[in-house]
Amino acid sequence: QGQLVESGGGSVQAGGSLRLSCTGSAYLYSTYSMGWFRQAPGKEREGVAVIDTDQRTRYIDSVKGRFTISKDNVKKILYLQMNSLKSEDTAMYYCAAGDRFRLWSGDARYWGQGTQVTVSS
């Protein structure tokens, strides 16, 4: 089981879009729920979006209607499409994998190193 690796972060203006990607082992993608978390300086880490093995999703209220989490089950890639970005979305974004009933709380089995998202006004 390889380490999760995020990519796709960067700097964008408010209202813009980014798509984050997370890659790992095929076993990991087929076995665990996966999600995206973020942490801004001075703030606690928070769950952004989670997708379960049955394709059900969960989002934090502040991103509903703007972010979409999805999985490519052939290429084994997790995505987070982020639209209508706001300055408050600025944070380090982490990919994680874990048990369905524990992941949202941040109790993950595997974590990526993070990718920075910066949204300017």
Side-chain angles (χ1 to χ4, degrees):
Q1 298 181 3
Q3 185 178 37
L4 293 168
V5 179
E6 304 94 336
S7 63
S11 298
V12 297
Q13 294 185 7
S17 298
L18 285 173
R19 187 176 73 165
L20 307 183
S21 299
C22 175
T23 59
S25 70
Y27 172 81
L28 190 152
Y29 278 79
S30 65
T31 302
Y32 300 105
S33 295
M34 302 189 71
W36 292 94
F37 296 76
R38 67 186 181 187
Q39 186 167 25
K43 293 188 176 182
E44 292 186 319
R45 182 182 62 198
E46 62 181 356
V48 177
V50 167
I51 185 166
D52 299 317
T53 54
D54 61 4
Q55 300 282 58
R56 288 183 176 271
T57 58
R58 179 177 180 179
Y59 299 90
I60 191 171
D61 287 344
S62 62
V63 309
K64 289 180 179 178
R66 299 190 298 119
F67 291 10
T68 302
I69 187 171
S70 63
K71 289 170 60 178
D72 184 326
N73 290 318
V74 175
K75 297 181 179 180
K76 307 302 181 184
I77 301 175
L78 176 73
Y79 298 104
L80 183 67
Q81 179 66 47
M82 304 185 294
N83 298 325
S84 301
L85 283 162
K86 305 174 181 179
S87 60
E88 51 262 46
D89 294 317
T90 295
M92 184 72 74
Y93 283 71
Y94 300 90
C95 174
D99 298 319
R100 177 173 182 171
F101 301 106
R102 299 167 62 183
L103 181 59
W104 185 253
S105 66
D107 185 11
R109 289 176 176 262
Y110 305 96
W111 290 95
Q113 295 300 308
T115 184
Q116 179 68 40
V117 172
T118 301
V119 184
S120 60
S121 301

